[in-house]
């Protein structure tokens, strides 16, 4: 288990509302597209992060976390597990408050680095599944 209920609740309700969604593009067929929509519906500001830097759901996209000219609270990672560790390191450099690896994204070494740096982290879970559950947790 890479995220207990208290950590999930804290990230979703207390950590902040600006979520950089790494891997989010305008491709409606990708999971990131629908998850970002759910995050918006629950009051989160999404920031698309993708090499194409596309505007998605009305929000300006950026090619990398470093290109975002403002603070982000949570970095939500929709990349393959073998690419996720470097994204976690970029989240640390960006001074994000938390990192969230999506379903199927697992990098235990990255999890340990993020936690050792004092940040909350959830791995192999989906905020679009967890947010609606909050009223039942």
């Amino acid at each position: 288990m890479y995220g207990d209920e208290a950590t999930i609740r804290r990230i979703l309700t207390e950590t902040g509302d600006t979520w950089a969604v790494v891997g989010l593009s305008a491709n409606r067929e990708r999971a990131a597209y629908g998850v970002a929509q759910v995050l918006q519906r629950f009051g989160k500001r999404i920031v698309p992060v993708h090499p194409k830097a596309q505007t998605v759901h009305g929000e300006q996209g950026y090619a990398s976390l470093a290109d975002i000219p403002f603070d982000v609270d949570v970095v939500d990672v929709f990349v393959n597990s073998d690419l996720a560790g470097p994204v976690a390191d970029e989240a640390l450099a960006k001074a994000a408050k938390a990192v969230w690896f999506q379903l199927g994204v697992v990098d235990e070494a990255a999890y340990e680095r993020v936690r050792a740096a004092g940040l909350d982290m959830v791995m192999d879970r989906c905020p679009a599944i967890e947010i609606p559950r909050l009223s039942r947790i």
Side-chain angles (χ1 to χ4, degrees), residues 77 79-87 101 104-107 113:
V77 182
V79 299
N80 292 330
S81 294
D82 58 342
L83 302 174
V87 175
F101 281 9
V105 180
V106 175
D107 182 327
R113 288 193 306 276

Side-chain angles (χ1 to χ4, degrees), residues 15 18-22 45-49 60-77 85-99 114 117 119:
T15 300
T18 302
W19 285 54
V21 184
V22 178
R45 176 186 182 192
I46 57 107
V47 182
V49 179
Q60 169 65 48
Y62 297 91
S64 71
L65 288 172
D67 291 339
I68 300 172
F70 49 84
D71 293 340
V72 297
D73 300 310
V74 181
V75 175
D76 188 8
V77 182
V87 175
D89 295 335
E90 290 173 30
L92 292 173
K94 181 70 181 166
K97 298 174 186 170
V99 177
V114 169
L119 279 68

Side-chain angles (χ1 to χ4, degrees), residues 31-49:
Y33 190 89
V35 170
Q37 247 178 344
V38 171
L39 289 169
Q40 279 186 318
R41 196 165 48 244
F42 281 89
K44 307 300 181 189
R45 176 186 182 192
I46 57 107
V47 182
V49 179

Side-chain angles (χ1 to χ4, degrees), residues 115-135:
R115 298 293 294 139
L119 279 68
D120 280 332
M121 183 165 177
V122 172
M123 190 162 59
D124 196 25
R125 302 285 285 267
C126 180
I129 294 170
E130 302 300 332
I131 275 183
R133 292 182 57 238
L134 286 180
S135 63

